[in-house]
C-alpha cells in the first residue's frame, strides 16, 4: 500500500514523567511496561500478573484533545498497553510524583505513614490509582476543599483501589491513606498511623498530615507534545508494521491489502486488553490500530437512541450513558443509567479506561468471552453496524452473536442502544411502566472478576385499575456467562409472560421455563449454580401481587453500589519502657517503595550480555521424557540454549530441607505435573517465555505404574514419607477412657480441605552473574538465602566459598519464597555457570502458579465423644496429608497441626497422621503451615458436636476452653498462670464486640428477612511459637552511623524497622549526647551469605524477634567496649557526644564491629500466643454471596516491638494475615485437572480478597499483656496467628446457612432440624448457594400457591 511521505512517520514520540522519548527500533508487540522496565530508569511500575488483573503496573496516561484544548488523564494497565498505542501521549509513573532526592509526594508519605506499604511491590500501582483519582477530582466543579485536602470524595478514594490487589496489608491501611486526601473524610475514621497520637484533636491531626496542596498540580502533559504529528504510523514495513488509519476508506484499503496474507499475521487493536484473557503467543507482522478513525470513536445521540463507536472505551461509554440519563427519571434515561451501573462492574477502572465496547463484543462473538456487556445490550434490543469490505451492514446484536465466528476482515463499527421512551411511548403520565434491571453473580461486588452468571430483564407493564392487577405487555430476558458460547434470549419465557396477569403461578411457571433454557455446556465449572435463575434474582424485578409480599426480593437493592468500609477501631497500648522500641514509627523504606525507588531483584539493571531463562515443566504426573522439541516456525529469534539434568556438573539438586532434597530437573522420568524438565535460555524474557510455551515434550507412559493422584491411592499403595521421631507429635490422654465416659459419640465423620496459592505480588525471580576464579554471585528473592547458597554449591560442584547469594528485599513471600525459590536461583546459577554470562529469570504468573505447590490438601476422618452438656471427652483424628512428590517440610506438618488442634480441651486426643507421597507437585511451607487446617478441623468438630446436641455453638466452645491445668496437660510450654490470657481475652471480646446483643439482633433480622440471613461466630486461638537461632552483626562507622546485618529477610513484615529500633534502644544505653534521633543513623543492609552465615529461614513470625535479640547482643558487646572510653571522656569533658566517642574509639583501635549468634535456650524457645475473633456475615440466599459485615479481633502481642508494624504496618501481621485467612476460607480455589496439573493460572481464575470483599468493619485490639520474662523485651510473634482467626468468618457463614436451611424446611412443612452439614473450604458463592438451596424461590412460591 502506498502512503504519502507526510503521512508516514517512522518513530514514536511520547513523554514519560515529562521527559521526551523518540523510538523507532521497537516491535509493535512491545508493551508499555516492557519499555518502561527495560529501556528507561523508571522501574516503579511492576510486572505481577501480566493480565491487567492486579494493578501493580498501573500508570497514568494523558492524551491531549486539540479541539477542546483539554488533557484527558486516566490510568491504564501498562502490561497490556502496547507502546505504539501511546504515540503522542504522556505517561506518568510514581517516580514522576516525587522521590527521596527532590522530596516525596504527599501520596508517598501518607502511604508510608498509614502503614499502607508492606512488601511494597504493589504500592507504586496503588499510588498511581490514587493520583489519577486526585487529578480527575480537581477537574470537577466541586467547592474548594479545606486546606490540606482535595476535591476527592471518600467513596471515590476507596473505589480508586478497587482493581488493585495487595496480599500484605488487608487493604484498610491503603484505604485510610487514600481517604486522608478526601474533603469529606472524618478524621476520626482514619486508622492507626505514625502522624499523630491517640487522643489528638482534629486540628492537630490535619496539621500532622504531610501537606497536600490541590493547586500544586503536576503537569501530566508537557507542552512540547501538543505540536507532535500523530498521523498514520508505519514501523519498519519490511519486517513488521503498525498502521494507524484515520478514515474508514484507509481502513478498507488496509483490510483489502491484508486479505492476501495469512490471517494470523495481522492483529487489529484498540486497547489490547483482550491479551490479558487470551494469552496469544503468535507473532504478528502487521498491526492495525482503529482508534484514530472518527466514525469508530464517536458517541452520538438522536431520537433512535445512543450510537456508540466500536473504539469508544467502556469508561467513556459509562460517562456518556450517565450524562444522557440526566434530566429526570424517564424510561430511556433509566435504562441508560442502569446499563452504566452494570458496566462499572466490568473489569477494573484501569482496564475499562482502555478496553473498547467493540472489542468486548467481538471477543464475545469470536472467542465466546463471557461478556456482561453483550448480555445487557442484548436485553435492551441493541443493534450493531459492521463493515465487510466496502459494504456495511446493520444487524441485531442477537444476529451478530449467533453468526459464525467473524472473519478478520469484518470490522465492528458501532453499537446502538435504542431509546425506549421513544419506542414504547411511555412517559411519566402514561399508565404503562418500563421495568429494566441487570444482574450479575460474581466473586467480587465491584468487578475485577468474571461473572458466574449474568442476566438482564426488560418488561413493559401496566396496571389494570379494574382488577388492580399488573399485566405484562412485553418483555425481554437475556442470560449469559453461564457456560454457553454467547448470551441468549429466553424467547420461550418472553412468549409465555407476554399478555399475562402477573401472579405467583405465572412467576413459578416462568422460573421452571428458565431452568430448561439456561443449560451450561459440558465441562462448565459449577454447572448447577450457573444454571440457576435464582443466582441473578432476575424475577425480583417483576412485582408479585400477593398479600404477603409485593416483591420476592424486597430487601435487595440492585442499583445501589455497596459501601466498602465502615469506621473501625484499632486499640493499642503503647509501651515506652524500651524507647524507641515499641514506638509506632513508619516501616523502614516504605516511602522508597511508594516512589518506585526500592530495588527488587527484577529492578537490578541487566549486566552486559545478560540472557533470560524460562522453565519447561511437565504436564504429566508420571512418564518417561524421551525428548523436547520446539515448533520450528514459531520459535522466536534469540533462543540460545536448552539446559536439562544432563548439563549439571554436580548433583541434580534444586532445593534442600532437613528432610531431604528435591531434584532441579526431572531425569529420564517426570514424576509430577509441574516438575521442571528443562531451562530454556534466550536474549529476552519474552523470547524465553515464548520458547517455553512452544516446547513440545515427548512423553512415553507405556509399561509404567499408574501415578498416585489421591491420598486414598497413596494409602492403598503404602506411599508415605517418614515422620522422624524428633518432630513426631505425641498423643494426649487416654482416648478409650474418654470415649467410655461420653454420653454421645460421632463416628467417622469426614472433612476434605483443599490447597491455597501464595499469590505474592512478585513472582519467583533471580539473577546469576559469573565472577572470577570460578565464583558466582546470585541475587535471589528468597526467604532462606543460606539454603540456596548450599544448593547452588552442590549443583555446580564448587565449594561454598565460591557462591554468594544476596537478598535485599522480597516482594511478598508467605513461605512461597522459602523452599520454592531455591530451584529458581539454582537454575539461573547453572545456566550462568555453563554459558559464562549473566542469566536472569522473572517467572510469569501462570508458570509460578503451576509450580508453586501451595498449602497441603488433606482428608480428615474424626470420631468424637462428648457429654450432654457439650463437654468433649475424647477426639480421634485420622489425617491424610497430600505432600506431593518430595518431602520438602511436609514431615513437620503433623507437629504444626497438633499445636493448633490442642487449643481446646478435648479430654483425650489421639491421632493417626500419614504424610502421603503422591504424584502431585510438592507442597511446601505456607503461612501458618498445617495450623490453619488444624484450626478448621477443631472448629468443624465443635460445630458438629453443637449441631448434634442442638446447642448454641458458642456455649460449646466456651465449655471446652482450657483451664490453666488442662493447658499444662496439653502443652509443654504453657508458661506461668499469668501468661494464660485467653480466658480474659474471650470475656473481653464478648463485651467489646457486643457479642450477646448482636446475637439477639441477628435472630430478629433472620426472622424478618427471607432472602438474606446473618450469622455470627466467636472463635479462640492458641498458637505454639518456636524461636530459631539467628545471627546478627552491628558495625559502627567512623561518622557514628551504624550498619546492621541480620539473618532475617525483609519480606514486608517490618523486620528491618524493628531491628533498627532495637539497635537504637540498645546502643542508647551508653547515654551520649547527640543520640536523640538515633534511628536515622541506623541502616539495615541486604543479606549476603558470605558476609553473615547461618542465616536460616525467615518464617514462622519469629525471625523479627530472633533478629532483634541477635543485634541486641551485638550492641551489648559494643556498649561494653565503648563504656570505659566514654567514662574517661566524661571525666575530662563532662558531656560526651556520640560522634566524639566513636572517633576516640577508632583512635584507640577499639573493634567497632560485633557479631552474635542468638540461640534461644529451652525456656524461651517455645511459648504460646493467644487471641480471639468475632465475625458477622450476611448471606444472600439467592446468589450465595457472603458479605462480611464486621470482625473484631483481640490479640496478645505481649509488649509489641512495634505496634505500628504489628497492627498497622502489617496491619499485615494482624489485619493482613486475617484477610489472607479469609481468602483461604472463603474465596481461593487452587484447582488441578485429573492429572494434577494446576488449572487456576492467574487473576482470572484465582481470586484473593479485594477491598470490596474484606470486612466492612474490622476492629483490632493489640493486647499488651505485660512482662513475659522469657520473651525478647516481653514481645510475642504476630504474623501467623491472626490468620487462624479468619475461621470465624467461615463459622459465621455456616451459622447463616443453617438459618437458611431451617427456613427452607419450614416452607416444605418439615420441622426436623437440618443443622448438620459440612461447609467446604473455600466457601465460595456456588458452595454457599448449594447449601442454602438451589430452588428457594420456587419452594417459596409453591408455599404461597398451597
Amino acid at each position: 500500500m502506498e502512503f504519502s511521505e507526510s503521512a508516514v512517520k517512522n518513530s514514536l514520540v511520547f513523554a514519560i514523567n515529562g521527559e521526551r522519548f523518540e523510538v523507532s527500533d521497537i516491535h509493535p508487540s512491545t508493551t508499555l511496561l516492557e519499555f518502561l522496565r527495560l529501556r528507561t530508569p523508571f522501574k516503579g511500575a511492576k510486572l505481577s500478573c501480566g493480565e491487567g488483573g492486579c494493578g501493580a503496573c498501573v500508570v497514568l496516561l494523558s492524551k491531549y484533545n486539540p479541539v477542546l484544548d483539554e488533557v484527558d488523564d486516566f490510568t491504564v494497565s501498562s502490561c497490556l498497553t502496547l507502546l505504539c498505542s501511546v504515540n503522542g501521549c504522556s505517561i506518568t509513573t510514581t517516580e514522576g510524583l516525587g522521590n527521596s532526592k527532590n522530596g516525596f509526594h504527599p501520596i508517598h508519605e501518607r502511604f508510608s505513614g498509614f502503614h499502607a506499604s508492606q512488601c511494597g511491590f504493589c504500592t507504586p500501582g496503588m499510588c498511581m490509582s490514587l493520583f489519577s483519582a486526585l487529578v480527575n477530582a480537581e477537574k470537577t466543579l466541586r467547592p474548594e476543599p479545606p486546606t490540606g485536602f482535595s476535591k476527592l470524595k471518600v467513596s471515590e478514594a476507596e473505589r480508586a483501589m478497587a482493581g488493585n490487589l495487595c496480599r500484605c496489608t488487608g487493604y484498610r491501611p491503603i484505604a485510610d491513606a487514600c481517604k486522608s486526601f478526601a474533603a469529606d473524610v472524618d478524621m476520626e475514621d482514619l486508622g492507626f498511623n505514625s502522624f499523630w497520637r491517640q487522643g489528638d484533636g482534629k486540628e492537630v491531626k490535619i496539621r500532622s498530615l504531610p501537606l497536600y496542596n490541590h493547586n500544586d498540580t503536576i503537569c501530566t502533559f508537557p507542552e512540547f507534545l501538543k505540536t507532535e504529528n500523530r498521523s498514520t504510523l508505519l514501523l519498519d514495513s519490511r519486517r513488521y508494521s503498525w498502521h494507524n488509519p484515520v478514515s474508514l476508506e484507509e481502513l478498507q484499503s488496509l483490510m483489502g491489502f491484508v486479505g492476501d496474507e495469512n490471517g494470523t499475521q495481522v492483529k487489529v487493536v484498540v486497547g489490547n486488553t483482550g491479551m490479558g484473557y487470551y494469552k496469544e503467543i503468535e507473532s504478528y507482522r502487521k498491526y492495525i490500530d482503529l482508534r484514530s478513525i472518527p466514525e469508530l470513536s464517536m458517541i452520538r445521540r438522536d431520537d433512535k437512541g445512543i450510537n456508540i463507536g466500536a473504539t469508544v472505551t467502556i469508561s467513556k461509554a459509562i460517562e456518556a450513558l450517565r450524562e444522557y440519563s440526566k434530566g429526570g427519571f424517564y424510561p430511556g434515561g433509566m435504562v441508560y443509567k442502569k446499563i452504566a451501573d452494570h458496566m462499572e462492574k466490568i473489569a477494573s477502572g484501569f482496564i475499562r479506561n482502555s478496553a473498547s465496547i467493540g472489542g468486548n463484543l467481538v471477543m464475545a462473538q469470536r472467542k465466546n468471552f463471557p461478556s456482561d456487556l453483550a448480555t445487557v445490550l442484548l436485553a435492551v434490543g441493541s443493534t450493531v453496524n459492521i463493515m465487510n469490505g466496502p459494504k456495511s451492514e446493520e444487524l441485531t446484536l442477537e444476529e451478530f452473536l449467533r453468526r459464525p465466528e467473524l472473519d478478520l476482515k469484518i470490522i465492528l463499527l458501532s453499537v446502538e442502544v435504542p431509546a425506549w421512551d421513544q419506542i414504547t411511548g411511555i412517559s411519566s403520565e402514561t399508565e404503562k411502566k418500563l421495568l429494566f434491571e441487570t444482574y450479575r453473580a460474581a466473586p467480587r461486588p465491584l468487578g475485577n472478576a468474571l461473572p458466574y452468571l449474568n442476566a438482564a430483564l426488560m418488561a413493559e407493564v401496566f396496571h389494570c385499575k379494574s382488577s388492580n392487577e399488573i399485566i405484562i405487555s412485553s418483555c425481554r430476558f437475556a442470560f449469559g456467562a453461564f457456560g454457553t458460547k454467547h448470551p441468549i434470549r429466553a424467547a420461550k419465557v418472553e412468549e409465555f409472560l407476554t399478555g399475562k396477569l402477573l401472579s405467583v403461578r405465572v412467576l413459578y411457571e416462568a422460573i421452571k421455563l428458565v431452568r430448561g433454557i439456561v443449560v451450561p455446556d459440558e465441562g462448565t465449572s459449577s454447572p448447577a449454580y450457573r444454571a440457576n435463575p435464582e443466582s441473578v434474582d432476575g424475577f425480583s424485578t417483576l412485582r408479585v401481587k400477593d398479600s404477603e409480599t409485593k416483591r420476592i426480593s424486597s430487601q435487595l437493592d440492585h442499583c445501589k453500589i455497596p459501601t466498602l468500609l465502615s469506621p473501625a477501631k484499632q486499640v493499642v497500648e503503647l509501651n515506652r519502657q524500651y524507647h524507641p522500641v515499641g514506638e509506632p514509627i513508619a516501616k523502614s523504606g516504605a516511602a522508597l517503595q511508594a516512589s518506585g525507588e526500592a530495588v527488587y531483584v527484577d529492578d537490578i539493571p541487566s549486566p552486559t550480555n545478560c540472557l533470560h531463562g524460562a522453565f519447561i515443566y511437565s504436564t504429566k504426573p508420571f512418564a518417561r521424557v524421551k525428548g523436547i522439541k520446539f515448533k520450528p516456525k514459531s520459535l522466536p529469534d534469540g533462543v540460545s540454549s536448552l539446559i536439562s539434568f544432563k548439563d549439571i556438573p554436580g548433583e541434580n539438586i534444586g532445593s534442600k530441607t532437613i528432610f531431604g532434597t528435591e531434584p532441579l530437573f526431572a531425569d529420564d522420568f517426570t514424576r509430577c505435573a509441574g516438575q521442571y524438565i528443562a531451562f530454556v535460555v534466550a536474549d529476552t524474557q519474552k523470547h524465553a517465555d515464548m520458547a517455553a510455551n512452544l516446547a513440545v515434550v515427548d512423553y512415553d507412559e507405556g509399561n509404567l505404574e499408574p501415578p498416585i493422584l489421591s491420598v486414598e491411592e497413596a494409602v492403598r499403595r503404602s506411599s508415605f514419607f517418614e515422620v522422624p521421631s524428633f518432630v513426631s507429635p505425641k498423643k494426649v490422654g487416654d482416648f478409650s477412657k474418654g470415649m467410655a465416659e461420653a454420653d454421645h459419640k460421632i463416628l467417622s465423620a469426614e472433612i476434605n480441605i483443599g490447597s491455597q496459592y501464595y499469590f505474592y505480588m512478585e513472582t519467583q525471580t533471580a539473577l546469576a552473574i559469573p565472577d572470577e576464579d570460578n565464583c558466582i554471585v546470585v541475587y535471589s528473592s528468597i526467604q532462606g538465602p543460606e539454603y540456596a547458597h548450599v544448593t547452588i554449591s552442590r549443583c555446580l560442584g564448587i565449594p561454598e566459598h565460591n557462591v554468594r547469594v544476596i537478598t535485599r528485599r522480597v516482594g511478598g513471600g508467605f513461605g512461597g519464597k522459602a523452599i520454592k525459590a531455591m530451584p529458581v536461583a539454582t537454575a539461573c546459577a547453572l545456566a550462568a555457570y555453563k554459558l559464562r554470562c549473566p542469566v536472569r529469570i522473572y517467572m510469569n504468573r501462570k508458570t509460578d502458579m503451576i509450580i508453586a505447590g501451595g498449602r497441603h490438601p488433606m482428608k480428615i476422618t474424626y470420631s468424637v465423644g462428648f457429654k450432654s452438656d457439650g463437654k468433649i471427652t475424647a477426639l480421634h483424628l485420622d489425617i491424610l496429608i497430600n505432600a506431593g512428590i518430595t518431602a520438602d517440610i511436609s514431615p513437620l506438618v503433623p507437629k504444626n497441626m497438633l499445636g493448633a488442634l490442642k487449643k481446646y480441651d478435648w479430654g483425650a486426643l489421639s491421632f493417626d497422621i500419614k504424610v502421603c507421597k503422591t504424584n502431585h507437585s510438592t507442597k511446601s511451607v505456607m503461612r501458618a503451615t498445617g495450623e490453619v487446617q488444624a484450626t478448621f478441623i477443631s472448629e468443624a468438630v465443635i460445630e458438629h458436636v453443637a449441631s448434634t446436641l442442638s446447642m448454641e455453638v458458642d456455649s460449646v466452645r466456651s465449655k471446652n476452653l482450657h483451664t490453666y491445668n488442662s493447658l499444662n496437660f496439653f502443652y509443654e510450654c504453657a508458661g506461668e498462670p499469668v501468661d494464660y490470657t485467653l480466658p480474659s481475652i474471650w470475656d473481653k471480646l464478648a463485651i467489646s464486640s457486643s457479642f450477646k446483643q448482636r446475637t439477639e439482633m441477628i435472630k430478629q433480622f433472620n426472622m424478618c428477612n427471607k432472602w438474606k440471613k446473618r450469622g455470627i461466630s466467636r472463635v479462640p486461638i492458641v498458637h505454639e511459637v518456636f524461636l530459631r537461632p539467628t545471627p546478627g552483626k552491628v558495625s559502627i562507622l567512623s561518622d557514628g552511623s551504624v550498619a546492621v546485618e541480620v539473618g532475617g529477610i525483609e519480606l514486608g513484615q517490618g523486620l528491618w524497622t524493628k531491628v533498627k529500633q532495637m539497635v537504637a534502644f540498645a546502643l542508647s544505653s551508653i547515654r551520649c549526647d547527640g543520640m536523640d534521633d538515633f534511628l536515622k543513623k541506623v541502616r539495615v543492609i541486604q543479606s549476603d551469605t558470605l558476609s553473615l552465615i547461618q542465616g536460616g529461614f525467615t518464617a514462622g513470625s519469629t525471625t523479627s524477634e530472633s533478629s532483634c535479640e541477635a543485634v541486641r547482643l551485638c550492641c551489648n558487646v559494643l556498649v561494653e567496649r565503648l563504656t570505659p572510653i566514654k567514662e574517661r571522656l566524661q571525666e575530662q569533658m563532662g558531656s560526651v557526644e556520640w560522634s566524639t566517642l566513636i572517633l576516640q574509639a577508632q583512635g584507640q583501635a577499639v573493634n567497632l564491629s560485633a557479631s552474635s549468634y542468638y540461640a534461644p535456650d529451652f525456656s524461651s524457645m517455645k511459648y504460646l500466643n493467644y487471641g480471639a475473633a468475632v465475625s458477622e456475615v450476611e448471606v444472600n440466599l439467592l446468589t450465595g454471596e457472603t458479605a462480611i459485615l464486621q470482625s473484631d479481633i483481640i490479640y496478645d502481642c505481649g509488649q509489641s516491638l512495634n505496634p505500628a508494624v504489628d497492627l498497622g504496618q502489617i496491619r499485615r501481621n494482624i489485619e493482613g494475615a486475617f484477610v489472607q485467612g479469609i481468602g483461604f476460607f472463603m474465596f481461593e480455589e487452587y484447582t488441578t485437572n485429573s492429572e494434577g496439573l494446576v488449572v487456576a493460572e492467574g487473576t482470572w481464575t484465582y481470586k484473593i480478597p479485594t477491598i470490596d470483599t474484606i470486612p466492612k468493619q474490622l476492629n483490632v485490639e493489640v493486647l499488651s499483656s505485660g512482662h513475659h520474662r522469657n520473651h525478647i523485651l516481653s514481645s510475642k510473634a504476630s504474623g501467623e496467628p491472626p490468620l487462624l482467626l479468619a475461621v470465624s468468618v467461615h463459622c459465621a457463614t455456616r451459622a447463616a446457612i443453617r438459618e437458611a436451611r431451617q427456613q427452607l424446611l419450614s416452607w416444605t412443612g418439615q420441622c426436623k432440624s437440618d443443622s448438620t452439614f459440612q461447609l467446604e473450604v473455600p466457601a465460595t458463592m456456588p458452595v454457599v448457594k448449594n447449601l442454602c438451596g438451589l430452588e428457594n424461590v420456587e419452594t417459596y412460591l409453591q408455599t404461597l400457591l398451597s
Side-chain angles (χ1 to χ4, degrees), residues 282-293:
E282 296 94 339
S283 179
Y284 296 95
R285 288 186 56 203
K286 196 176 296 293
Y287 291 73
I288 303 174
D289 185 352
L290 304 181
R291 293 172 308 146
S292 296
I293 302 172

Side-chain angles (χ1 to χ4, degrees), residues 787-833:
Y787 288 82
H789 185 124
V790 174
T791 302
I792 292 166
S793 166
R794 290 171 62 178
C795 181
L796 302 189
I798 58 178
E800 287 187 31
H801 65 221
N802 283 27
V803 180
R804 186 179 175 208
V805 179
I806 296 173
T807 302
R808 180 175 294 182
R809 58 172 56 84
V810 173
F814 317 111
K817 302 276 182 70
I819 319 298
K820 292 293 183 176
M822 291 182 207
V824 179
T826 304
C828 274
L830 173 62
Y833 189 76

Side-chain angles (χ1 to χ4, degrees), residues 20 54 141 212 240 245 355 412 498 521 639 713 812 821 921 974 1011:
R20 187 180 190 275
C54 71
L141 299 177
Y212 174 72
Y240 42 75
L412 177 63
T498 300
D521 291 343
V639 177
E713 181 64 18
S921 60
W1011 309 111

Side-chain angles (χ1 to χ4, degrees), residues 56-110:
C57 68
V58 165
V59 298
L60 186 78
L61 187 68
S62 302
K63 290 185 177 182
Y64 176 62
N65 185 328
V67 177
L68 300 176
D69 191 25
E70 289 179 351
V71 174
D72 191 15
D73 301 291
F74 51 91
T75 51
V76 296
S77 183
S78 63
C79 73
L80 299 179
T81 303
L82 295 177
L83 186 69
C84 290
S85 69
V86 306
N87 186 44
C89 299
S90 177
I91 296 98
T92 307
T93 71
T94 192
E95 292 97 328
L97 307 187
N99 54 57
S100 56
K101 183 178 179 181
N102 300 318
F104 292 114
H105 190 279
I107 289 176
H108 302 149
E109 294 176 310
R110 295 193 190 184

Side-chain angles (χ1 to χ4, degrees), residues 349-397:
F350 48 80
I351 295 297
R352 294 193 295 268
N353 293 337
S354 300
S356 66
I357 296 290
N360 187 289
L361 295 177
V362 168
M363 282 203 306
Q365 202 281 341
R366 281 190 183 142
K367 298 187 175 183
N368 308 324
F369 179 71
S371 166
D372 279 279
L373 195 58
T375 303
V376 173
L377 295 181
L378 181 62
V380 298
S382 300
T383 57
V384 298
N385 196 284
I386 61 174
M387 183 182 80
N388 187 356
K391 300 177 182 177
S392 64
E393 185 179 355
E394 185 174 306
L395 304 168
T396 66
L397 182 57

Side-chain angles (χ1 to χ4, degrees), residues 868-881:
S868 296
D869 64 355
K871 180 66 186 77
I872 294 170
T873 57
L875 172 65
H876 177 79
L877 298 160
D878 291 305
I879 301 176
L880 302 177
I881 300 170

